[in-house]
Amino acid sequence: MEIIAEIGQNHNGELNLALELIHAAKESGADVAKFQLYDAKALFPKEGNDWYDYNCKTELKFDQLHALASECRKVGIEFMASVFDTKRVKWLEDIGVKRYKIASRSATDSALLQAVAHTGKPMLVSLGMWKGKEFPKIESRAPVHFLYCVSRYPTPLSEVGLGSVDFGNKYYGFSDHTVGITAAVVAFSRGARAVEKHFTLDKSMYGPDHVCSATPQELSQLHSFRIEVEQCLTG
């Protein structure tokens, strides 16, 4: 079982805060520190988007990417990123990522999926916006794992629907957008092998994702629960 701390945009465009979040994620028991790698002006619409300026501010540049990956190696936590275009797949190859994350909105982007598959590295694919009855057919020589996800920020617990999710044969894990860690705990208890949870130092900070993010204290609690679940299953 692994915990992916989704730092995402929660660095608010400040490199020092991003570095601090990496250290906090490691100290809280996360296995992965994950960011988002995109061209903001290409990905996010300007009209009707209250967060457009914020999205532009939180776009990571090539040198920042290297700094973050280097810091992850230094503290001993895996660096991962949701990648949103083929140009940035090349960036991630340059820094030597172990695997890739595909966000829900990109699960139908055939060019992106093909570029990632061509790297020969595993990928995690969230299916929060997937409408098909069958999972996407992604041709890759490396493992492709799907994450159960509800694309609502934040997701009310009453709408998570984990009771009907097959973590044994269909879904590898859970990408959690709820407030608190209850849903993540339930997912682990039902067999999820990975939980991706937004991570912040302070839920009251400015930005769209802080409110549904785990604090270091909450992530530490999730880490402790994960250890106890593993003990129950192997003891």
Side-chain angles (χ1 to χ4, degrees):
M1 295 177 176
E2 64 178 328
I3 296 173
I4 301 170
E6 162 67 310
I7 295 171
Q9 298 177 301
N10 282 351
H11 53 82
N12 289 354
E14 300 173 15
L15 183 60
N16 286 338
L17 178 55
L19 297 173
E20 188 177 356
L21 281 160
I22 289 172
H23 283 259
K26 173 65 177 180
E27 293 167 3
S28 301
D31 305 286
V32 179
K34 193 179 84 65
F35 291 85
Q36 297 176 11
L37 197 56
Y38 48 75
D39 177 341
K41 292 181 180 178
L43 184 66
F44 299 105
K46 186 173 184 178
E47 297 299 324
N49 182 0
D50 294 337
W51 295 106
Y52 180 77
D53 290 337
Y54 178 88
N55 292 334
C56 292
K57 182 181 178 182
T58 55
E59 177 184 320
L60 294 174
K61 307 305 181 184
F62 187 66
D63 59 336
Q64 294 173 318
L65 176 67
H66 274 263
L68 296 176
S70 177
E71 195 68 18
C72 284
R73 286 192 292 270
K74 184 186 300 184
V75 305
I77 190 170
E78 180 184 348
F79 175 88
M80 186 188 292
S82 293
V83 62
F84 291 87
D85 59 69
T86 57
K87 175 182 177 180
R88 286 161 178 77
V89 171
K90 296 177 181 177
W91 287 12
L92 291 173
E93 283 300 286
D94 285 344
I95 68 169
V97 293
K98 294 169 58 177
R99 51 185 172 163
Y100 286 82
K101 172 67 195 301
I102 303 296
S104 293
R105 67 187 297 162
S106 302
T108 58
D109 187 336
S110 58
L112 177 62
L113 294 172
Q114 184 177 12
V116 173
H118 186 69
T119 68
K121 295 177 180 177
M123 69 179 92
L124 299 174
V125 183
S126 286
L127 294 182
M129 297 181 180
W130 183 254
K131 302 301 182 183
K133 293 182 179 180
E134 302 294 331
F135 283 0
K137 296 187 183 301
I138 302 173
E139 295 185 6
S140 174
R141 61 183 183 274
V144 177
H145 296 303
F146 296 104
L147 302 183
Y148 177 75
C149 176
V150 179
S151 293
R152 182 174 176 185
Y153 302 81
T155 306
L157 292 179
S158 59
E159 296 182 14
V160 177
L162 287 172
S164 60
V165 178
D166 181 359
F167 285 116
N169 300 306
K170 296 184 66 177
Y171 289 100
Y172 179 80
F174 174 48
S175 182
D176 183 12
H177 300 142
T178 66
V179 175
I181 63 169
T182 300
V185 166
V186 172
F188 271 143
S189 68
R190 298 201 67 251
R193 284 156 285 179
V195 166
E196 176 186 52
K197 181 71 182 176
H198 282 274
F199 183 60
T200 185
L201 299 181
D202 184 349
K203 295 187 183 189
S204 67
M205 293 180 73
Y206 180 78
D209 295 331
H210 290 284
V211 66
C212 60
S213 299
T215 62
Q217 180 181 7
E218 288 176 319
L219 204 69
S220 295
Q221 292 172 342
L222 182 61
H223 171 60
S224 296
F225 178 82
R226 182 257 303 266
I227 292 174
E228 292 174 354
V229 169
E230 291 177 334
Q231 289 174 340
C232 290
L233 295 176
T234 60

